[in-house]
């Protein structure tokens, strides 16, 4: 067997330490930084926001959870309320917060006089859910502005999800869990798919919706004892696993609208999700609002009056990265309109303004996740019937960073959450400013006020780099975007001629993007703070640059994207002070495929001294059989793995076919619970490298999935990655 003459490892024996200090943002600092969630506004008064925050401590080895309550339109600082026992929180009314811990729900009464937020009384028990039910993803009809009542005695409905067995029996879950745990065999039997999904083996226990009365009596909230099953008589499971949450359904004063996988097709081979509507307490078979011929649907919501439903919808079943269009459905007439047909962006989130006449949406655009505004003119919609409606395009209200979690307020105001490349989520209050759209085109005007300052104190001394976007001509002359991050210590005004070691990062997906938002895993500033120049490219297949650009990677994994990556690298070498003799490349998922593909194509002449593949693909054809979501492979390669056409595409772009050319030192990391790309992909690549005599290292995390999430494991991941880089391109 032929082996390669690999370069000696010049720095293997020296002691490596991650750079830390008062002016160095280290991996440990990243992991311990506060992680704020999305803001929740109190109904009725709309003068407070609630923000859940978690923060890990290596000293205590615990994650502390708190909620911050911040006034809107006031200079009063947010007030912190620790929730030592964890759990979920939401507003019951303008001055009462619900805190669900395990199967108990408590009420916390607030007082706010414009200068001080406080909780003067201890929490009181509102009620309990059945033992072992673990309720989550709460939606409360009382939080809907259109249904908020001033009188003391009111009755509302609390909707939530819980994982239950096939009998849909919430009260039997604990007993059934115990029986499953005490079974004498570990054998699992499957007659259909999924066998396993993301990081769990499939069982009969799945997520369903429940509802229960939640009333205010004599000044106190009381939870009912009868739990209703609005999805009874169906095989609808929602939120949709593995990532679905409360955004998969919405409630009005009388109904629930939700998205669920179409039970008539194999969910591992189809992305089709239908949108259904049902009474809050059930009793009637849910009615489908979708045609049944579409792909995935997400984020169904009611208008404030409860007469219209809107959701995002992909046209192609089996394609998870198709353009997400907005669909408007009139519940009174059953009319349906597609209102963003001419907008070449994919909608992520959507909410109605309080008047029900316009929408706020978020979408990725050119490396930023922006807030857009769109007016709905229902009379115009009714005039075109069921035909796709060429409506006005949404216009951008924000231009930078990554925004989400929009909460509309009265008077055209809204609250949103935003992160950037230099800091985590923070909450902002925005107000639409009147303007003449004919003068500003597709860019609107807003006035924003920052409400919270999470991370500001912790990050103050680090001088994180905000990133510089650059553009170049890629495959077929298409404009392609990249990001450049300067290393700690770089001073453009000093006139230094120093060249810097550089990390070239390749994103996964492949239909994804490097965006101007905070990341707790592949954070470019962590690498930059260790002294590396960081280059990131959004090649063909990346999202936020038009659907044609996304679609162009289909059946071309090793084609146009690598033209873009090569041209982007050439641009970076020409325009930035990069030491071309001290460069490394790293990627995860599809980015890991890219690393293995680069290994086998030395003619690309990247010149990298070392490579790093995280949970990447080694054998493309094998992946079509071993992955969990089979629809992904079937779409991107044009058929089943055994089909002649798809088989040729998989063989053409199969890293394992080029192992005879592998020669660059490579680190491989893989999660043992990664069922998206099985750990045998990483093991196979490592075996190949070792047998070829290529310097290589394998790091396995048996308890992690496609991502490394546990704090100690995350620190270990960063240590091993940075140690590998240092061995090959570190300082002499």
């Amino acid at each position: 067997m032929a082996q390669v003459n690999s370069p000696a490892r010049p720095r293997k024996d020296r002691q490596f330490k991650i750079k830390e200090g008062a002016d160095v943002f280290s991996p440990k600092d990243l992991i311990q930084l506060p992680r704020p969630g999305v803001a929740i506004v109190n109904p009725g008064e709309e003068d407070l926001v609630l923000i859940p925050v978690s923060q890990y401590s290596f000293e205590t080895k615990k994650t502390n959870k708190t909620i911050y309550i911040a006034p809107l339109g006031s200079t009063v600082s947010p007030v912190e309320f620790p929730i030592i026992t964890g759990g979920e929180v939401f507003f019951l009314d303008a001055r009462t917060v619900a805190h669900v811990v395990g199967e108990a729900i408590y009420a916390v009464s607030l007082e706010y006089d414009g200068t001080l937020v406080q909780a003067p009384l201890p929490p009181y028990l509102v009620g309990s859910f059945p033992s072992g039910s673990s309720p989550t993803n709460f939606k409360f009809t009382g939080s809907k502005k259109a249904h908020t009542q001033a009188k003391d005695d009111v009755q509302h409905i609390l909707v939530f999800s819980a994982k239950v067995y096939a009998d849909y029996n919430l009260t039997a879950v604990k007993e059934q869990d115990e029986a499953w745990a005490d079974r004498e065999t570990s054998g699992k039997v499957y007659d259909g798919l999924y066998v396993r999904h993301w990081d769990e083996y499939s069982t009969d226990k799945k997520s369903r919706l429940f509802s229960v009365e939640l009333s205010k009596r004599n000044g106190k909230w009381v939870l009912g004892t009868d739990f209703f099953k609005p999805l009874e008589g169906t095989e609808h499971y929602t939120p949709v696993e593995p990532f679905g949450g409360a955004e998969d359904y919405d409630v009005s004063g009388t109904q629930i609208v939700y998205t669920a996988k179409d039970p008539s097709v194999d969910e591992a081979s189809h992305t089709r999700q239908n949108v259904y509507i049902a009474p809050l307490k059930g009793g009637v078979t849910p009615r489908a609002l979708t045609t049944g011929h579409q792909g995935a649907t997400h984020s169904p919501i009611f208008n404030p009056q409860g007469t219209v439903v809107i959701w995002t919808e992909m046209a192609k079943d089996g394609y998870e990265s198709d353009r997400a269009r907005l669909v408007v459905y009139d519940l009174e007439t059953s009319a349906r309109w597609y209102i963003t047909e001419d907008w070449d962006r994919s909608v992520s989130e959507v909410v109605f303004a309080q008047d029900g006449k316009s929408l706020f949406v978020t979408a990725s655009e050119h490396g930023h996740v922006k807030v857009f505004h769109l007016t709905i003119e229902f009379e115009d919609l009714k005039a075109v019937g069921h035909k796709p409606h060429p409506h006005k395009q949404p216009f951008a209200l924000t231009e930078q960073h990554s925004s989400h979690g929009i909460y509309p307020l009265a008077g055209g105001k809204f609250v949103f959450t935003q992160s950037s490349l230099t800091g985590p989520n923070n909450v902002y209050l925005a107000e639409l400013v009147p303007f003449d759209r004919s003068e500003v085109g597709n860019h609107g005007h807003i006035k924003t006020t920052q409400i919270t300052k999470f991370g500001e104190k912790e990050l103050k001394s680090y001088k994180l780099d905000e990133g510089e976007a650059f553009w170049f001509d890629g495959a077929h002359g298409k404009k392609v975007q990249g990001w450049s991050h300067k290393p700690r210590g770089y001073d453009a005004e000093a006139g230094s001629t120093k060249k810097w070691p550089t990390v070239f990062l390749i994103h996964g997906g492949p239909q994804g993007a490097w965006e101007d938002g905070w990341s707790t895993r592949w954070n470019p500033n962590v690498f930059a703070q260790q002294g590396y120049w960081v280059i990131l490219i959004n090649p063909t297949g990346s999202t936020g640059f038009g659907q044609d650009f996304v679609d162009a990677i289909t059946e071309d994994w090793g084609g146009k994207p690598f033209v873009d990556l090569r041209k982007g690298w050439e641009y970076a070498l020409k325009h930035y002070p990069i030491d071309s003799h001290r460069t490394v490349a790293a990627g995860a998922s599809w980015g890991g495929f890219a690393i293995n593909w680069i290994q086998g194509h030395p003619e690309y002449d990247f010149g990298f001294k070392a490579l790093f593949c995280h949970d990447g693909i080694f054998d493309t054809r094998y992946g079509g059989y071993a992955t969990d979501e089979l629809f992904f492979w079937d779409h991107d390669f044009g058929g089943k793995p055994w089909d002649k056409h798809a088989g040729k595409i998989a063989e053409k772009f199969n890293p394992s076919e080029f192992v005879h050319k592998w020669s660059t030192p490579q680190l491989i990391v893989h999660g043992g619970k990664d069922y998206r790309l099985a750990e045998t992909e990483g093991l196979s690549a490592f075996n190949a490298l070792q047998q070829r005599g290529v310097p290589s290292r394998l790091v396995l995390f048996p308890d992690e999935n496609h991502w490394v999430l546990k704090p100690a494991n995350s620190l270990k991941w960063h240590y091993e990655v940075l140690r590998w880089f240092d061995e090959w391109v570190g300082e002499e």
Side-chain angles (χ1 to χ4, degrees), residues 265-295:
V265 296
D266 165 26
E267 61 180 334
S269 301
H270 295 264
T271 58
R272 186 186 305 154
Q273 292 176 211
N274 293 326
V275 174
Y276 302 91
I277 193 167
L280 284 168
K281 293 184 179 180
V284 176
T285 302
R287 174 168 63 97
L289 305 184
T290 38
T291 64
H293 303 293
Q294 77 293 328

Side-chain angles (χ1 to χ4, degrees), residues 562-592:
F562 286 87
V563 175
D564 297 340
L565 291 172
R566 292 166 68 188
K567 286 180 174 289
W569 184 234
E570 290 171 2
Y571 179 96
L573 290 172
K574 182 178 179 180
H575 289 85
Y576 301 109
I578 292 171
D579 185 344
S580 61
H581 300 291
R582 298 168 63 206
T583 63
V584 296
S589 196
W590 183 87

Side-chain angles (χ1 to χ4, degrees), residues 163-168 180 189-190 201-208 237:
K163 288 190 174 183
V164 294
Y165 291 86
D167 59 4
Y168 203 169
W180 175 258
V189 180
Y190 297 91
Y201 277 84
S202 299
T203 69
D204 290 335
K205 192 177 183 183
K206 298 180 179 180
S207 185
R208 301 274 247 171
Y237 304 103

